[in-house]
Amino acid sequence: MADSKQDQADKLKAAGAGKAHGHVAKGHVASGDGQTRRSFISWVVVGWAAFAACMGGLATITMRFFAPNVLYEPQQTFRAGAVSEYAPGEVSTRWKSKFGIWIVRLDDRVVALSTICTHLGCTPNWLASEQKFKCPCHGSAFRMNGINFEGPAPRPLERHKIYLDDEGIMVVDKTVSFRQERGQWDEPESFVAV
Amino acid sequence: MDTLKHVINVLSAPQVSFLAAAIAFFFVFPPTDRFQSWNRRLRLDWLWTVKGGILLHALVIGAFFLSTLDPNFRAIVTKPDNVPIALLLFGTLFFLWLSMKQACDNDARLANDQKPNEYTDPSESKILVWPDLVYIELIAGILCMAALIFWSIALEAPLEEPANPTLSPNPAKAPWYFLGLQEMLVYFDPWLAGVVFPVIIIVGLMSLPYIDTEPGGSGYYSYSDRKLYVSLFMFGWLLLWVYLIIVGAFMRGPNWNFFGPYERWDLHKVVALTNINLSSLIWVKLLNQPLPDNIIIREMFGIAMLGFHFLVIPPLLAMTILKKFYARMGNVKYAVFMFLSMAAVSLPIKMFLRWTINLKYVVAIPGWFNL
Ligand code: FES
């Protein structure tokens, strides 16, 4: 015991002397347990780097978690078949789950109705027996042509661009929409005349 | 039996049940001395005694279990989602009774010049954290864990298909604590019901301690000392929150139609609910005229109604039945208090108008303000 104390005292003295006279080379100053300053600093760097990496990973995972697990951009244009495939007065739910579109054949035109409720965005259901679209979230209802008449929805369903291609097949383009309250439902691209 | 069920179904329609509940409410939770004397005369305060409580709970629980004999009722309340909500409602009832009982006991003691039950002599009102408090916390924690484990094993979580944006479940329901908000969304513009009202509710609750600065009744349960406040708060809590949660959880079925407790959730129930704005109701139906083009003229009746509700009624009250209250509160506090109360009252009024005459908006200025 006495020995080791003596040792330490010697070491301290040596270190002190070294510093005072600048004789001991940088990085070789021995600390109490034989670790050099250089190795200490490199361990600190490694440690902090690992910590930062962990936090970064955690942050990345968290950010990823905020992004929902859905496919964002399904195809925006699709061919919906010939006009003759739709009976007069029919609301076709054929493209509902794939593209979110009802093809509706009204008296004088075929239109592509969006399946997004204008209230808060749920998907209404077509009730054939009552001839209306009814939303399951807060009970808004829309007539066959898309006009809202029940519940809280503030405006009619939107219609999307629909046109005939060279082969006479209807093409729906969801990137363009037409709103009734802006008086856009008579624009030529919003329907295919029959 | 079937006629009884039918009668209950009819009575539970919101326009009937809400009105009845709202009227009964002020006798059970009297806001003023006058109401309180009626409350005493009808012996309604008997509800908040031990005997009254036992009878109340026996009736409610008995009616509930009797109702589970009905297949439609059973199908709804035994859904894994709904079981905890039902338990929660029983809990709400019990704690409502408990706190009201404590309040009434204290009222009686104070009337006899005694100290309230919660009063303790400052010299001996010490409790040791260890072991008294820590043990209680430990036991409470263990009981909670046990209940949660039991719950998670007994009631299966409804696992559904992966999310599909083009498929909304029918009916699509918010979690139970938001059902009141979802119900509000049915009657108001989404911007108002989803953003403005919740903010008013939160800010309003936060402002309570600044509005009600009267020291009477603080530190112990009491009713008589703060009738108006307790009554108004209970109105918001029981009728505008709990009632709407019950309706949202148990009575809104497919297509968000309203169903009585013993009614089958029929996907094809037909209800005609065609909306009408106040402007068209008055101009077209009553006055037989086309809608005026000028928006302000078109909506003037609705605007006048709103103005009357928020700007005329409060001063009127301040000059008549709330005179003393107004004098105590001063202008600013009274104005804030009245704005919050009138907003809270306007909510059921609007819902009631929708239920009865399918009113869509009182004031409809599309894209700018719909109420
Ligand atoms: S989202 Fe359709 S009614 Fe609310």
Side-chain angles (χ1 to χ4, degrees):
Chain A
M1 265 318 221
D3 267 14
S4 70
K5 262 204 181 140
Q6 188 60 41
D7 266 13
Q8 275 196 346
D10 281 352
K11 258 187 206 161
L12 279 178
K13 231 186 246 166
K19 245 185 217 154
H21 298 112
H23 278 174
V24 181
K26 204 171 141 204
H28 288 277
V29 181
S31 65
D33 52 2
Q35 204 178 29
T36 61
R37 183 184 291 166
R38 174 173 290 168
S39 74
F40 173 72
I41 288 179
S42 54
W43 274 115
V44 167
V45 169
V46 169
W48 276 105
F51 179 71
C54 285
M55 292 315 278
L58 210 63
T60 319
I61 296 171
T62 312
M63 293 316 286
R64 171 64 189 81
F65 171 75
F66 283 124
N69 278 325
V70 291
L71 192 58
Y72 282 102
E73 286 289 310
Q75 204 184 333
Q76 292 294 309
T77 42
F78 67 98
R79 290 162 56 114
V83 174
S84 56
E85 290 175 34
Y86 301 91
E90 181 191 341
V91 171
S92 163
T93 51
R94 202 165 132 192
W95 308 106
K96 181 182 168 190
S97 58
K98 201 159 173 207
F99 296 109
I101 288 289
W102 287 298
I103 303 286
V104 181
R105 181 155 168 185
L106 302 170
D107 290 342
D108 61 341
R109 54 184 71 176
V110 178
V111 296
L113 270 189
S114 153
T115 61
I116 297 175
C117 178
T118 51
H119 179 226
L120 287 175
C122 289
T123 307
N125 298 303
W126 169 244
L127 306 181
S129 54
E130 294 158 50
Q131 292 286 302
K132 68 183 182 190
F133 300 99
K134 186 81 176 163
C135 183
C137 291
H138 314 91
S140 291
F142 306 85
R143 297 190 201 287
M144 186 170 151
N145 56 9
I147 301 282
N148 56 316
F149 71 106
E150 268 178 19
R155 56 191 178 87
L157 293 173
E158 289 179 13
R159 292 182 182 177
H160 288 300
K161 179 173 166 182
I162 184 167
Y163 57 94
L164 291 175
D165 68 4
D166 304 341
E167 300 160 31
I169 302 288
M170 292 188 293
V171 178
V172 176
D173 180 356
K174 284 180 63 185
T175 56
V176 187
S177 52
F178 300 92
R179 295 185 176 194
Q180 188 263 358
E181 73 278 13
R182 294 190 186 156
Q184 293 167 329
W185 276 9
D186 278 321
E187 285 177 25
E189 289 189 318
S190 72
F191 61 90
V192 167
V194 286
Chain B
M1 204 61 203
D2 278 348
T3 33
L4 182 66
K5 282 184 192 169
H6 184 70
V7 169
I8 295 182
N9 280 341
V10 172
L11 291 184
S12 67
Q15 57 269 47
V16 184
S17 63
F18 188 88
L19 192 65
I23 293 174
F25 176 87
F26 290 105
F27 291 92
V28 182
F29 299 96
T32 60
D33 290 331
R34 169 108 24 106
F35 274 102
Q36 192 162 37
S37 71
W38 284 330
N39 167 288
R40 294 268 154 83
R41 218 172 301 154
L42 293 169
R43 307 212 127 266
L44 284 174
D45 48 348
W46 183 73
L47 275 180
W48 317 121
T49 59
V50 173
K51 272 189 204 150
I54 292 176
L55 185 72
L56 180 69
H57 283 77
L59 277 181
V60 172
I61 295 176
F64 181 83
F65 280 103
L66 209 63
S67 299
T68 50
L69 295 178
D70 179 86
N72 297 321
F73 185 89
R74 193 170 53 226
I76 305 301
V77 293
T78 52
K79 269 191 194 167
D81 274 356
N82 287 348
V83 175
I85 306 181
L87 287 177
L88 210 72
L89 290 172
F90 287 124
T92 309
L93 180 69
F94 174 73
F95 286 108
L96 177 72
W97 172 81
L98 184 66
S99 50
M100 282 305 285
K101 176 183 178 302
Q102 285 166 313
C104 287
D105 285 354
N106 279 342
D107 286 348
R109 290 175 69 94
L110 290 171
N112 289 336
D113 275 338
Q114 283 169 305
K115 294 241 191 283
N117 269 325
E118 288 85 354
Y119 180 82
T120 45
D121 190 347
S123 64
E124 51 189 54
S125 59
K126 256 192 204 162
I127 269 199
L128 296 177
V129 168
W130 173 268
D132 301 72
L133 179 66
V134 176
Y135 266 48
I136 294 174
E137 285 176 349
L138 179 75
I139 291 169
I142 290 176
L143 287 181
C144 279
M145 286 294 259
L148 280 178
I149 291 173
F150 173 76
W151 176 0
S152 58
I153 294 173
L155 299 170
E156 266 156 46
L159 270 190
E160 294 174 18
E161 312 139 43
N164 175 356
T166 60
L167 193 109
S168 303
N170 190 7
K173 294 202 177 182
W176 64 266
Y177 42 87
F178 280 152
L179 279 173
L181 282 182
Q182 187 176 10
E183 201 45 40
M184 256 160 56
L185 279 165
V186 176
Y187 308 103
F188 295 93
D189 185 88
W191 160 246
L192 285 177
V195 182
V196 177
F197 290 172
V199 168
I200 293 185
I201 292 173
I202 293 171
V203 173
L205 287 176
M206 277 162 41
S207 67
L208 281 187
Y210 303 96
I211 296 175
D212 169 18
T213 50
E214 288 165 29
S218 86
Y220 55 90
Y221 290 95
S222 75
Y223 193 92
S224 295
D225 280 355
R226 33 205 320 123
K227 284 187 273 293
L228 184 63
Y229 297 121
V230 179
S231 179
L232 273 180
F233 180 82
M234 286 295 187
F235 185 81
W237 162 240
L238 292 176
L239 282 177
L240 299 185
W241 201 245
V242 177
Y243 175 86
L244 289 184
I245 287 180
I246 297 177
V247 167
F250 301 111
M251 302 188 160
R252 287 297 194 172
N255 299 323
W256 212 250
N257 278 327
F258 191 88
F259 290 84
Y262 308 115
E263 209 174 329
R264 195 169 62 85
W265 278 20
D266 182 359
L267 229 87
H268 299 287
K269 178 174 178 174
V270 184
V271 202
L273 293 169
T274 310
N275 284 326
I276 182 160
N277 282 331
L278 185 74
S279 49
S280 12
L281 192 73
I282 294 186
W283 286 109
V284 181
K285 291 238 165 126
L286 287 183
L287 303 179
N288 263 321
Q289 279 177 10
L291 281 180
D293 285 333
N294 185 319
I295 290 188
I296 301 294
I297 297 183
R298 191 185 72 200
E299 303 296 338
M300 68 184 183
F301 298 109
I303 295 175
M305 268 173 70
L306 272 190
F308 182 76
H309 185 76
F310 280 100
L311 299 177
V312 179
I313 294 184
L316 271 185
L317 287 177
M319 285 187 289
T320 54
I321 49 175
L322 291 181
K323 214 173 196 167
K324 272 191 243 145
F325 182 71
Y326 171 67
R328 256 184 298 151
M329 296 280 274
N331 270 329
V332 177
K333 265 205 248 172
Y334 181 79
V336 176
F337 173 81
M338 266 301 154
F339 170 72
L340 293 174
S341 330
M342 292 317 278
V345 170
S346 67
L347 205 85
I349 293 180
K350 168 80 193 286
M351 298 192 319
F352 196 74
L353 290 174
R354 176 71 67 79
W355 293 327
T356 46
I357 58 171
N358 273 315
L359 183 81
K360 187 169 170 93
Y361 294 129
V362 176
V363 177
I365 306 178
W368 190 72
F369 181 78
N370 294 316
L371 187 78

